[in-house]
Amino acid sequence: MITNIVLHILAMLITIYWASLTIGRFLTGFIASGIKTDKIITSGLIVGLVGMILFSFDNFILNAIALITFGLGISGLFPCMMSVGSKRFKEDVFDTLCGFQVGFASIGVCTLPSLIGVIINKTNLEFLPPIIIFITIIMLYIDHILKKKENVQP
């Protein structure tokens, strides 16, 4: 990851990330009818993981590609995870679970950026990719466990 970079270039990289996230949401909406939601979640996590691994390198062009890749990869995760819950869990449990899912997503949106910001402020910006990679690997593992459980249920 590039650490000595001009602020307007950083702003451009952030814009590229948010644009890819927005474009990815639209693309996910178009492909969701033809691809299983489980595959979109798993492939999105893998694409996001690849993007964050690429972001670890000290190259501007690679960092821009990495942010596009990461944004496209994670763009459809939340909507797909919301829709797949009804398939993975019984109907009587899903209503409560959906509320918890939205609640914890809101808590995560409020706390994780601040927590990661504090960690990076105390250490170095180079800790960002490993933190995101770690979180993505945990999400891939949880996705794997839920798929395994889904296949076992009658």
Side-chain angles (χ1 to χ4, degrees), residues 3-41:
T3 53
N4 55 352
I5 193 163
V6 184
L7 286 177
H8 70 277
I9 295 175
L10 284 174
M12 184 180 67
L13 287 174
I14 292 168
T15 303
I16 287 171
Y17 164 72
W18 283 106
S20 67
L21 195 67
T22 304
I23 292 167
R25 280 276 170 103
F26 284 113
L27 292 175
T28 301
F30 286 120
I31 66 169
S33 60
I35 299 175
K36 291 177 86 177
T37 310
D38 287 344
K39 290 191 186 293
I40 295 173
I41 292 171

Side-chain angles (χ1 to χ4, degrees), residues 38 41-42 45 88-89 137-153:
D38 287 344
I41 292 171
T42 304
L45 286 168
R88 288 185 171 169
F89 300 96
I137 289 171
I138 289 172
M139 290 176 68
L140 273 166
Y141 178 72
I142 292 170
D143 182 56
H144 174 72
I145 296 294
L146 288 172
K147 283 182 186 175
K148 206 176 198 182
K149 181 183 176 204
E150 185 179 293
N151 291 334
V152 172
Q153 290 179 349

Side-chain angles (χ1 to χ4, degrees), residues 27 44 49 61 73-74 78 81 94 101 118 125-126 134 147:
L27 292 175
L49 183 63
I61 301 296
I74 68 165
F78 184 74
M81 287 180 178
F94 174 67
Q101 190 173 5
V118 167
L125 189 59
E126 292 178 0
F134 178 72
K147 283 182 186 175

Side-chain angles (χ1 to χ4, degrees), residues 69-82:
T69 305
F70 185 72
L72 288 173
I74 68 165
S75 61
L77 290 182
F78 184 74
C80 288
M81 287 180 178
M82 290 299 294

Side-chain angles (χ1 to χ4, degrees), residues 25-115:
R25 280 276 170 103
F26 284 113
L27 292 175
T28 301
F30 286 120
I31 66 169
S33 60
I35 299 175
K36 291 177 86 177
T37 310
D38 287 344
K39 290 191 186 293
I40 295 173
I41 292 171
T42 304
S43 60
L45 286 168
I46 292 169
V47 169
L49 183 63
V50 168
M52 202 42 58
I53 290 169
L54 291 174
F55 194 67
S56 300
F57 294 101
D58 192 13
N59 181 300
F60 175 75
I61 301 296
L62 203 55
N63 286 168
I65 292 169
L67 287 175
I68 292 169
T69 305
F70 185 72
L72 288 173
I74 68 165
S75 61
L77 290 182
F78 184 74
C80 288
M81 287 180 178
M82 290 299 294
S83 69
V84 80
S86 62
K87 297 172 189 155
R88 288 185 171 169
F89 300 96
K90 295 177 183 170
E91 188 175 336
D92 57 333
V93 175
F94 174 67
D95 294 337
T96 305
L97 185 68
C98 185
F100 277 114
Q101 190 173 5
V102 170
F104 278 105
S106 299
I107 290 170
V109 163
C110 292
T111 58
L112 280 179
S114 300
L115 178 63

